[in-house]
Amino acid sequence: MSKEKYDALYARMQTLTDIYGIGGVAQWDMQTHMPPRGAAVRAERLATLTTIGHEWLTSSETGDLIARSEDYVRNQGEDSLEYAIWRVSKRHYDKATVIPSELAADLDRAASNGHVAWVSARKNNDYEGFKPYLQKNIDLLHQVIDLSRGLYPEAEEDYDILLDDYEQGMKTSDIAAVFDQFKVGAKPLVEKVAAHMGDGRDAATFGNFPADQQEKLAREILAAVGFNDDEFDLTKTAHPFEHSMSIHDIRITTKYDEGFFNPCFFGTLHEFGHGIYENQIDDTYERTVLARGVSMAWHESQSRMWENLVGRSLPFWKWAAPKVKAVFPDQFGSMDAEDIYRAVNMMGPSLIRIEADELTYNYHIIIRFELERELLAGTVTVDDLPDAWNAKYKDYLGVDVPDYSDGVLQDVHWSGGSMGYFPTYALGNILGAMLWQKINTELPNLASEFEAGEFGSLRNWSRENIHRHGSFYTPNDLLQKVLGTRTLDAQPQIDFLTAKVNELYG
Amino acid sequence: MSKEKYDALYARMQTLTDIYGIGGVAQWDMQTHMPPRGAAVRAERLATLTTIGHEWLTSSETGDLIARSEDYVRNQGEDSLEYAIWRVSKRHYDKATVIPSELAADLDRAASNGHVAWVSARKNNDYEGFKPYLQKNIDLLHQVIDLSRGLYPEAEEDYDILLDDYEQGMKTSDIAAVFDQFKVGAKPLVEKVAAHMGDGRDAATFGNFPADQQEKLAREILAAVGFNDDEFDLTKTAHPFEHSMSIHDIRITTKYDEGFFNPCFFGTLHEFGHGIYENQIDDTYERTVLARGVSMAWHESQSRMWENLVGRSLPFWKWAAPKVKAVFPDQFGSMDAEDIYRAVNMMGPSLIRIEADELTYNYHIIIRFELERELLAGTVTVDDLPDAWNAKYKDYLGVDVPDYSDGVLQDVHWSGGSMGYFPTYALGNILGAMLWQKINTELPNLASEFEAGEFGSLRNWSRENIHRHGSFYTPNDLLQKVLGTRTLDAQPQIDFLTAKVNELYG
């Protein structure tokens, strides 16, 4: 009897993954091919699909199947597929059912309105115009938190509850601790690279890079690292992202800045890192709730690994330099692998997060995390926010913020009511460095393989240890399984960056 | 009370159009971007969405709303929006509810299996291998007909019932009459052009046409006829088609044959004709069951108009020749507008439908229609089919069919159980010529406008008289409204072709 309930739950969640999967196609299309005037109807259609999915998920039938299959899945053991599917299904159900549909609609509306207001505010350097929308989003998040409190008896502070959407089981206090560790440990490095800013080592990465040539090069590099046309697609977009339609249907998007080499080259490696994670999930999990990377930080650890730990390494450039020089001889023709390696590793404090280098990126994130935490606790208000922002940029990066648009208004996230997401970017970097230490111990020939253009053992290691599990384990259990710890540690990233900065900046 | 029921029906059908609309995105993607290994999961997801849509449409709630809003919509009058939406909703509901879901699943499965068998059979010239699948499809169509009989008390023969899916209200006997008219009237023309086959006038259309240059030219021509990037998208595919995501989101697809000029050039004009129909539907009908071209023949009349009546006309070439010569100087550089006009109007009897010219195309269709009708009546069996096919090709076109692959196995339609679709292609040509006569009476300056690259008055006429109505009128009522008749007449097409053949072939 209970097995029947589990089977029915399995089928019910399979339908839900199909609904979300079809919605994903429509969202990918919206950002890649849809002509502008298709937007209004597309939004309506997606809202309809979201409603259908929400009703399907939160129906009493779903709740009943979860309740009645619990005995059965617990009997299978906590390491069973049945238990994992049940656990993740219950998590989705619980999180969705505490939010009444009116509040869900309010959240959507505030996010839409906030986005429109943000676009205009950013364009006009008008923080005052954006402020009421930001306040509205924060008010709604407090409602979500109040309604969700029962699901998180272990929460130490309200921010923990928001964080759980992106990083299940993560504590705000743990993030603060590992970020403080990074801030202190990396500070001398920031000071060192700041002294070298403007030395021109990156001059060749600016110039003339025709889009079709960038695409040709990107496809050549991607093919070597593991992109194949049977399972991957590369398409142009305004704001690059990766989306998996299913385990063997991976969409990578990029944009072509014809004046700057880095965005497409490293952006496609970054999105490939997300894509290969989704692509190497165990086929058994297809069309189940487990067929997704387990958390944002885990995902970012993989994308940043391919972008930075692989793509910005000297062994990689010993292999890639001739290919890049062949496609862009005017820009890179007179440089050797080490020159290009130095050029693409230009570091220095800056204003804009998305243009930040491997070292200073985390500071941009830490600033946002600290401000989100204070906004939610009420120790910083929306009135105080720009001053608090500017003070932290001065303090952590030595940077003066000249206006709102390049300061507190630079990112889209808050306009859509998204808080708790930002820290996962830096956690991904920190986790990536922890993994990289372990990987290099277990795969001692990685450098020489990269020099030969071989990336298979890195893909295999990632598949075996991380990717294939999808969402089978919780993020914390996966950390325990892969690295034998439940605590993030910034020291590997500090050590890695220290060695790299010393090598590149004397 | 009854108004409330109508509003509820309206909303319910709006949800259904959203579900189908999202499914349309996934289908477009499947044929344009999806990597091959995404196919299996995509098929499952689409099946799930189809089931959701089918259950939504055929539920007792839908039936109840249709029944309870009938008084209200009839009171609004048969020319009201409310009545039109109710009428088309009821049509969808009635047609869907007579088919039990097991039979729907059998039809899907037989279509899938039939398609796989056809691909292999065509490749291996193996009609025997395909025969059982064709028989299975015919058997299932008989089941559909038997279950649907109650919906068509006016049907004269079983084929009428299949036809209704594509051409509501059309009678098989009417099609046979108009096709016979065409067969007789156009026969001397076929004999005339056959005598000129191989005279080399089309030599320039074969050669070297790089895909990127074809795309550039296609975009230039499309922009002039009415394609705009705010509402249209052009993408590559293997089997070109048009799909509208919504009224202002029109997708045109094409393929690039680098050895042959015609397929992309005339194919994009053809798909544009479908697209502009959907694009000019009244905005009031968006997200309703009326936001679709009314029938296949009406749709094909528009696509064929842009492909042939515009794109293969001399005035068009007086404008287009310099553009085409600029992009392909090696191929067309030494030719003038009349030369190119003659080259792209090469006519002559041939084996393959999709490669047929404006004149002989209808014969290919007539052969298929006559055979479908006999297969369904049982006067031709699947065993007799290849001989019957070959005899008709000899009789109507004077062509000897050398093998199955280029004969009875050349088209995909029957493998998927689709019968009743083929005749709409030729009906579209015939209707298009009737409309063209009327249009040229009402717009006497069309030729000089085309020579100047102006296509706005044709678009406007089509919008005002045809496109804006979407599915508001039945196909027959629209015919009455636009042309003042309820009967198709092949004479305008015969007259048009007679004049053209005399001009081009002396």
Side-chain angles (χ1 to χ4, degrees), chain B residues 328-483:
Chain B
F328 296 117
D330 293 348
Q331 296 286 146
F332 297 111
S334 64
M335 299 166 78
D336 65 16
E338 283 211 39
D339 294 332
I340 304 179
Y341 166 64
R342 284 167 58 83
V344 300
N345 275 294
M346 183 75 204
M347 298 181 191
S350 63
L351 261 182
I352 307 295
R353 175 182 64 86
I354 59 167
E355 295 169 5
D357 60 78
E358 194 177 356
L359 165 64
T360 59
Y361 189 90
N362 282 2
Y363 286 93
H364 293 266
I365 296 303
I366 291 167
I367 290 169
R368 286 154 180 76
F369 162 72
E370 291 176 351
L371 292 174
E372 285 187 346
R373 193 184 188 189
E374 293 216 68
L375 277 170
L376 210 66
T379 51
V380 165
T381 69
V382 295
D383 291 321
D384 312 329
L385 185 64
D387 286 344
W389 176 285
N390 297 353
K392 282 186 188 285
Y393 264 81
K394 187 71 183 173
D395 185 14
Y396 297 168
L397 290 167
V399 165
D400 291 306
V401 178
D403 53 35
Y404 299 128
S405 296
D406 292 320
V408 68
L409 288 176
Q410 71 179 258
D411 291 310
V412 68
H413 304 59
W414 291 340
S415 76
S418 166
M419 291 200 173
Y421 189 136
F422 272 128
T424 67
Y425 291 126
L427 296 174
N429 287 332
I430 288 164
L431 172 59
M434 293 172 73
L435 293 166
W436 197 238
Q437 209 172 47
K438 167 108 176 164
I439 290 168
N440 279 277
T441 309
E442 298 196 4
L443 303 174
N445 301 319
L446 219 45
S448 57
E449 290 174 18
F450 290 177
E451 286 182 31
E454 290 163 16
F455 303 93
S457 55
L458 176 57
R459 280 201 312 274
N460 290 343
W461 191 96
S462 308
R463 182 183 61 236
E464 280 308 302
N465 291 280
I466 303 168
H467 299 175
R468 69 185 173 95
H469 300 304
S471 296
F472 188 96
Y473 301 106
T474 65
N476 281 329
D477 285 351
L478 185 63
L479 193 65
Q480 175 68 41
K481 190 175 162 69
V482 180
L483 293 173

Side-chain angles (χ1 to χ4, degrees), chain A residues 197-210 214 257-266 312 324 328-333 335 339-340 342-347 350 354-357:
Chain A
M197 280 187 78
D199 68 5
R201 66 175 70 194
D202 59 343
T205 62
F206 300 93
N208 180 28
F209 303 94
Q214 288 196 55
D257 180 341
E258 296 201 316
F260 189 18
F261 174 78
N262 292 2
C264 170
F265 190 88
F266 294 103
R312 281 192 167 91
V324 172
F328 297 116
D330 294 347
Q331 295 287 145
F332 297 111
M335 298 167 78
D339 294 332
I340 305 179
R342 284 166 59 85
V344 300
N345 275 294
M346 182 77 202
M347 298 180 190
S350 64
I354 61 167
E355 296 168 5
D357 61 77

Side-chain angles (χ1 to χ4, degrees), chain A residues 15 17-19 21-23 25-26 28-29 33-38 41-42 44-46 48-49 52 229-233 235 245-246 248-251 283 286-287, chain B residues 15 17-19 21-23 25-26 28-29 33-38 41-42 44-46 48-49 52 229-233 235 245-246 248-251 283 286-287:
Chain A
T15 295
T17 63
D18 285 342
I19 293 171
I22 291 278
V25 181
W28 173 87
D29 176 81
H33 276 280
M34 187 182 74
R37 290 197 59 199
V41 173
R42 180 64 55 87
E44 297 290 345
R45 299 219 200 284
L46 279 170
T48 295
L49 199 73
I52 290 171
D229 289 336
D230 277 351
E231 305 180 78
F232 287 78
D233 172 85
T235 298
M245 304 288 185
S246 56
H248 299 289
D249 183 353
I250 306 296
R251 309 299 174 93
D283 279 335
E286 185 65 283
R287 295 178 72 216
Chain B
T15 295
T17 64
D18 286 342
I19 292 171
I22 291 278
V25 181
W28 173 88
D29 175 81
H33 276 281
M34 188 182 71
R37 290 198 58 199
V41 173
R42 180 62 58 86
E44 297 290 344
R45 300 221 200 284
L46 280 169
T48 294
L49 199 73
I52 290 171
D229 290 336
D230 277 351
E231 305 181 77
F232 287 79
D233 172 86
T235 298
M245 305 288 185
S246 58
H248 299 290
D249 182 354
I250 305 296
R251 309 299 174 94
D283 279 335
E286 185 66 283
R287 296 178 72 214

Side-chain angles (χ1 to χ4, degrees), chain A residues 368-483:
Chain A
R368 285 153 179 77
F369 163 73
E370 291 175 352
L371 292 173
E372 285 188 345
R373 192 184 187 188
E374 293 215 69
L375 278 170
L376 211 67
T379 50
V380 165
T381 69
V382 295
D383 291 321
D384 313 329
L385 185 64
D387 287 344
W389 176 285
N390 297 354
K392 280 185 189 287
Y393 264 81
K394 187 71 182 173
D395 185 14
Y396 297 168
L397 289 168
V399 166
D400 290 307
V401 179
D403 53 34
Y404 298 128
S405 296
D406 292 322
V408 68
L409 289 176
Q410 71 180 261
D411 291 311
V412 67
H413 304 59
W414 291 340
S415 77
S418 167
M419 289 197 174
Y421 189 135
F422 271 129
T424 67
Y425 290 125
L427 296 174
N429 288 332
I430 288 165
L431 172 58
M434 292 172 74
L435 292 167
W436 197 240
Q437 209 173 46
K438 167 108 175 164
I439 290 167
N440 279 278
T441 308
E442 297 194 6
L443 303 174
N445 301 319
L446 220 45
S448 57
E449 289 175 17
F450 290 177
E451 286 183 31
E454 291 164 16
F455 303 93
S457 55
L458 176 58
R459 282 201 311 276
N460 290 343
W461 192 96
S462 308
R463 183 183 62 235
E464 281 307 302
N465 291 281
I466 303 168
H467 299 174
R468 69 186 172 93
H469 299 305
S471 296
F472 189 96
Y473 300 105
T474 65
N476 281 329
D477 285 351
L478 186 62
L479 194 65
Q480 175 67 41
K481 193 175 161 65
V482 180
L483 293 174

Side-chain angles (χ1 to χ4, degrees), chain A residues 151-210:
Chain A
L151 297 177
Y152 306 99
E154 74 291 3
E156 297 167 355
E157 59 186 285
D158 285 358
Y159 193 81
D160 284 4
I161 294 173
L162 298 185
L163 203 53
D164 188 84
D165 276 355
Y166 310 102
E167 211 56 44
Q168 185 190 0
M170 182 71 73
K171 289 277 171 297
T172 310
S173 57
D174 292 336
I175 295 179
V178 73
F179 280 1
D180 285 344
Q181 183 192 11
F182 183 87
K183 273 198 297 194
V184 174
K187 194 164 201 299
L189 306 177
V190 176
E191 285 160 5
K192 183 179 263 187
V193 300
H196 288 268
M197 280 187 78
D199 68 5
R201 66 175 70 194
D202 59 343
T205 62
F206 300 93
N208 180 28
F209 303 94

